[in-house]
Amino acid sequence: MCVAVKANAYGHGAVECAGIALACGADFLAIAAVSEGIELREAGIHAPLLLLSLCQPEEMDSLVANDITPFVFDKDYVDLLSQAVQKAGKKDYAVHLAVDTGMGRIGCYPEEAADIARHILSTGKLLLGGMSTHFAVSDSPAEGDEAYTARQFARFTQAIENVKAAGINPGICHCCNSAATLEKPEYHLDMVRPGIIVYGYYPDGKPRQYYERKKMPIDLRPVMALVTQVVAIRPIKKGMSVSYGHTWTAEEDTMTGVLPIGYADGLFRRLAPHLQVAVKGKAYPVRGRICMDQCMIDLGKNPVERWSEAVLFGPKESGAVLTAQELADATGTISYEITSAITKRVPRVYQ
């Protein structure tokens, strides 16, 4: 299993989540930037790190120094990496060959795989540690998308066979993201790469109800709760407006609570009309635009004490009104974006 801890573990904290994943039996950790790998190495994480995105030439020395396993798929990139390995005085450095079977992002085409594999070995510095592809629509229930994923899998397995026919061991073969990991055990091959499901949310397009209808109930529980405090309470008279742009005006006398969190913390401005913040079990709407560092909620006539805990989203047992998925649904996005947007200046507390 290769657990995705890229993007600060989808906002949950890469170092801590990496340690938990490894303690639970993960074999690899997936990252998207060399800097993410360096952070894990400096924190004492020694497990294999798989870099899912391409790095720039000036980052290759750091990649090799930190024993990060890269994706490769073209000869120029392979040659640059080989030079960095030679410069570091290393050899037999494992890389994974990315194959583009229908994502249209990175990877050689299946018919090129054997040739690129031969070139990897011809450097005398690199080894083929694995082969990978990425499914474009495995998380979609739309008609035709399951067949598209099946075609991707068939193209990938053909690429693997082509590499084997060239007398080359393809190494660890892997293609399953979260949705395919849950639904397609026949696609698992040597390793799977779960991402969003590790953090308690269902793949985009396939909520809990989808799996219940398929008679394969899967109980995922959100990991993150975004919590702050009511740092000030202010009386607002009828006719007064709140926040930038005067987008909300009080229709009657009310009280507002000020929360010290805003879009610089990852709480996007566009969430304002939809966000219901929980304070002592009651839901209070955000009023006006979310600011860079603060936002305001309408308390009405309800007595709320200053410094009360306010839960912006999270699992129901956290007291939240909304999960990240429900907030994503209301704003036309996905849970991945909601959680991964929470910036590093927001303290993480692990329980």
Side-chain angles (χ1 to χ4, degrees), residues 330-345:
T331 54
T333 187
I334 55 178
S335 60
Y336 315 52
E337 183 182 43
I338 299 295
T339 63
S340 63
I342 304 304
T343 61
K344 285 195 172 184
R345 83 173 188 180

Side-chain angles (χ1 to χ4, degrees), residues 48-66:
L49 303 179
L50 186 61
L51 181 67
L52 303 182
S53 301
L54 301 182
C55 68
Q56 299 173 35
E58 57 267 28
E59 296 178 299
M60 287 187 174
D61 289 346
S62 293
L63 180 145
V64 173
N66 287 278

Side-chain angles (χ1 to χ4, degrees), residues 1-6 17 21 26 28-31 192-194 198-199:
M1 181 174 287
C2 176
V3 171
V5 294
K6 62 178 182 171
C17 291
F28 275 74
L29 301 170
I31 57 176
V192 294
R193 305 189 307 265
V198 171
Y199 304 103

